């Protein structure tokens, strides 16, 4: 029998002033299965120590860099169980490979790597290590996204004909990177971000949501990427036509210069018999429309929802769940898989949890979009 204890997490990134690192910590700890015990929280050793102190972890486990963390942790009897990666994109591959080689499972933020070539390297490393790897495509954790997915899988919509996905933000409408704003600065630098700007930052979430909900792969694409803000080195506005494996057509819009937008992720899926419409900014409602029937608004926590949606619902109806709870769903699935894996189960990751396949698909999408835009042609996946 495996020891009854919390899983131990070591974090890379997520230091003072970071955006997603704190979300990872809140989400990981929400269900009581995981605790933060170690980290290399910043590229600055002093700031990493300062962060460790504020998180109340053992000062000896706030490391100067991730290599030191892996080297020291692998020799401890109470070592971390997994590494979470919440750094700028260029570090995702080296940290993930080093963690896997040191014998630690990985939770990585998206995009999986900086380039498609790197994603293929990562895929091999995950297969070689035989360790759990999860990718935090946050939106896959919402109950009503699981409901939308279950509706598509049930065939109730009939054959899917058209998909429209948009992810609109406005925070990069001005050259924010020139002001030194931390999140904007590395995202505008190809060496730290990778070659896909907006397409890699949020386009990849939209792409993942589309494939995740419909269960259909994109097979062809005609994309246009633009840098709207003068002197910006990476794209900040993307539009793409898609074809899916069943020949359905799709439209994907992702932009960070759509002034006034916050985090406007929206997915609409149209089948022969009906359609669904979900918006991240109103995540506890899912609209379902029928060719021949009244429009439905399904509410999170409704007793009539699919088993998949109910399985990831925490609160009774009318109590809103949001971004952190959705993120925590992914961590709970990962933690349960880790517990099963430690108990000897060979392939414990549930297919609801995005993993290495989603990571490689996402990086292929970014690479294909750049190629399509460069050549002004349709490209195959
Ligand atoms: P950020 O700039 O706010 O945070 C990055 C953190 O990494 C900082 O604390 C920085 O000090 C640290 N860091 C940099 N180099 C490091 C090193 N060598 N060692 C240790 N730490 C180091 O960036 P962010 O907005 O939080 O984005 C981080 C990652 O999360 C990106 O890959 C981004 O794409 C992803 N992200 C995902 C979501 C999501 O919805 N899942 C949302 C936002 C960001």
């Amino acid at each position: 029998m495996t020891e009854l204890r919390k899983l131990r997490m070591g974090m890379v990134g997520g230091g003072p002033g970071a955006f997603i690192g704190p979300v990872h910590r809140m989400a990981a700890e929400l269900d009581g299965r995981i605790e933060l015990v170690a980290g290399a929280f910043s590229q600055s050793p002093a700031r990493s120590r300062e962060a460790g102190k504020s998180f109340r972890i053992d000062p000896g486990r706030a490391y100067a860099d991730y290599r030191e963390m892996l080297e020291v942790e692998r020799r401890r009897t109470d070592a971390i169980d997994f590494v979470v990666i919440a750094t700028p994109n260029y570090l995702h591959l080296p940290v993930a490979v080093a963690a896997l080689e040191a014998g630690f499972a990985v939770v990585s933020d998206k995009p999986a790597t900086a380039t498609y070539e790197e994603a293929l390297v990562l895929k091999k490393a995950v297969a070689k290590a035989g360790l759990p790897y999860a990718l935090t495509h946050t939106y896959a954790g919402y109950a009503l996204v699981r409901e939308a997915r279950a509706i598509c899988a049930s065939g109730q919509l009939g054959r899917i004909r058209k998909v429209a996905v948009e992810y609109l933000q406005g925070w990069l409408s001005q050259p924010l990177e020139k002001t030194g704003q931390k999140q904007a600065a590395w995202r505008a630098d190809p060496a730290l971000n990778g070659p896909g700007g907006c397409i890699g930052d949020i386009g990849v979430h939209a792409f993942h949501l589309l494939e995740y909900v419909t269960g259909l792969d994109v097979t062809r694409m005609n994309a246009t990427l633009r840098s709207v803000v003068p002197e910006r080195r990476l794209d900040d506005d993307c539009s793409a036509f898609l074809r899916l494996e069943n020949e359905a057509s799709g439209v994907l819009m992702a932009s960070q210069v759509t002034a006034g937008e916050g985090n406007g992720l929206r997915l609409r899926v149209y089948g022969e018999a009906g359609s669904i419409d979900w918006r991240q900014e109103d995540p506890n409602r899912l609209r379902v429309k029928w060719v021949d029937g009244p429009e439905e608004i399904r509410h999170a926590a409704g007793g009539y929802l699919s088993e998949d949606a109910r399985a990831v619902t925490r609160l009774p109806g009318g109590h809103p769940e949001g971004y952190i709870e959705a993120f925590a769903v992914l961590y709970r699935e990962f933690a349960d898989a880790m517990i099963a894996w430690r108990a000897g189960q060979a392939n414990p990751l549930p297919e609801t949890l995005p993993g290495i396949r989603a990571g490689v698909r996402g990086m292929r999408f970014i690479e294909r979009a750049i190629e399509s835009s460069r050549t002004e042609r349709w490209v195959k996946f």
Side-chain angles (χ1 to χ4, degrees):
M1 218 181 86
T2 51
E3 188 191 352
L4 193 60
R5 62 165 176 81
K6 291 193 184 202
L7 296 166
R8 294 184 282 255
M9 170 168 97
M11 173 171 268
V12 184
F19 165 37
I20 210 67
V23 177
H24 277 271
R25 288 192 291 274
M26 288 184 267
E29 299 197 345
L30 195 69
D31 286 297
R33 289 164 168 83
I34 295 170
E35 63 180 330
L36 176 75
V37 299
F41 301 103
S42 165
Q43 62 274 56
S44 141
R47 282 170 75 76
S48 182
R49 276 196 299 279
E50 181 197 326
K53 206 167 160 188
S54 75
F55 307 146
R56 319 298 292 170
I57 65 169
D58 174 348
R61 296 176 90 173
Y63 297 99
D65 68 54
Y66 73 87
R67 290 181 200 81
E68 186 195 15
M69 176 175 89
L70 299 173
E71 195 45 44
V72 176
E73 287 292 324
R74 71 193 298 186
R75 287 187 269 110
R76 289 182 71 111
T77 50
D78 61 349
I80 53 173
D81 296 293
F82 71 96
V83 171
V84 48
I85 305 170
T87 62
N89 305 345
Y90 81 103
L91 286 163
H92 292 188
L93 178 75
V95 177
V97 169
L100 292 164
E101 285 177 357
F104 300 119
V106 169
V107 173
S108 174
D109 219 314
K110 47 52 61 180
T113 52
T115 65
Y116 177 58
E117 289 70 28
E118 286 188 1
L120 298 178
V121 173
L122 178 62
K123 185 179 168 186
K124 279 194 189 143
V126 171
K128 187 171 171 205
L131 291 160
Y133 171 92
L135 188 69
T136 48
H137 273 297
T138 320
Y139 308 104
Y142 280 99
L144 290 179
V145 167
R146 299 286 170 100
E147 177 71 3
R149 190 173 196 253
I151 292 173
C152 289
S154 74
Q156 291 169 68
L157 300 181
R159 202 181 76 85
I160 290 168
R161 290 171 163 168
K162 180 144 194 100
V163 182
V165 65
E166 62 188 54
Y167 199 155
L168 303 180
Q169 299 182 332
W171 69 292
L172 292 176
S173 294
Q174 307 298 328
L176 193 60
E177 60 272 30
K178 291 196 174 159
T179 68
Q181 203 266 11
K182 189 180 157 92
Q183 282 79 25
W186 69 257
R187 280 176 170 83
D189 181 344
L192 305 180
N193 178 86
C198 171
I199 195 82
D201 199 30
I202 59 172
V204 74
H205 270 309
F207 171 80
H208 178 262
L209 186 69
L210 182 160
E211 290 200 336
Y212 185 81
V213 168
T214 62
L216 297 168
D217 280 358
V218 172
T219 53
R220 283 171 283 157
M221 171 166 60
N222 190 332
T224 301
L225 312 186
R226 301 189 310 148
S227 302
V228 173
V229 169
E231 294 174 41
R232 181 164 282 158
R233 289 191 285 164
L234 291 169
D235 61 274
D236 53 20
D237 178 74
C238 323
S239 315
F241 291 123
L242 311 170
R243 292 303 282 267
L244 277 55
E245 61 179 291
N246 73 342
E247 289 302 317
S249 62
V251 180
L252 183 150
M253 254 204 308
S255 182
Q256 292 175 312
V257 294
T258 34
E261 295 289 355
N263 200 46
L265 174 62
R266 179 181 187 187
L267 174 70
R268 282 169 285 173
V269 179
Y270 297 92
E272 291 165 338
S275 60
I276 53 177
D277 183 354
W278 181 78
R279 294 171 188 236
Q280 198 272 162
E281 290 181 342
D282 185 15
N284 293 302
R285 282 192 286 201
L286 174 70
R287 289 192 154 70
V288 187
K289 301 180 198 175
W290 304 103
V291 167
D292 192 14
E295 178 176 347
E296 297 170 26
I297 300 179
R298 298 194 186 180
H299 292 262
Y304 50 80
L305 295 179
S306 62
E307 206 176 300
D308 284 359
R310 282 184 285 121
V312 299
T313 303
R314 297 156 197 277
L315 298 172
H319 300 77
E321 295 193 35
Y323 190 72
I324 292 166
E325 289 88 346
F327 221 110
V329 162
L330 304 184
Y331 267 103
R332 191 169 66 190
E333 290 183 332
F334 178 77
D336 287 346
M338 282 294 290
I339 290 164
W341 180 77
R342 291 182 66 235
Q345 195 178 314
N347 292 307
L349 293 169
E351 48 96 36
T352 45
L353 179 65
I356 189 64
R357 181 180 191 275
V360 175
R361 290 285 303 161
M363 295 315 300
R364 180 69 171 160
F365 162 72
I366 297 165
E367 185 267 336
R368 293 283 77 194
I370 293 170
E371 178 64 9
S372 171
S373 186
R374 189 184 66 79
T375 57
E376 299 189 348
R377 285 177 190 278
W378 280 86
V379 292
K380 289 189 177 153
F381 268 57

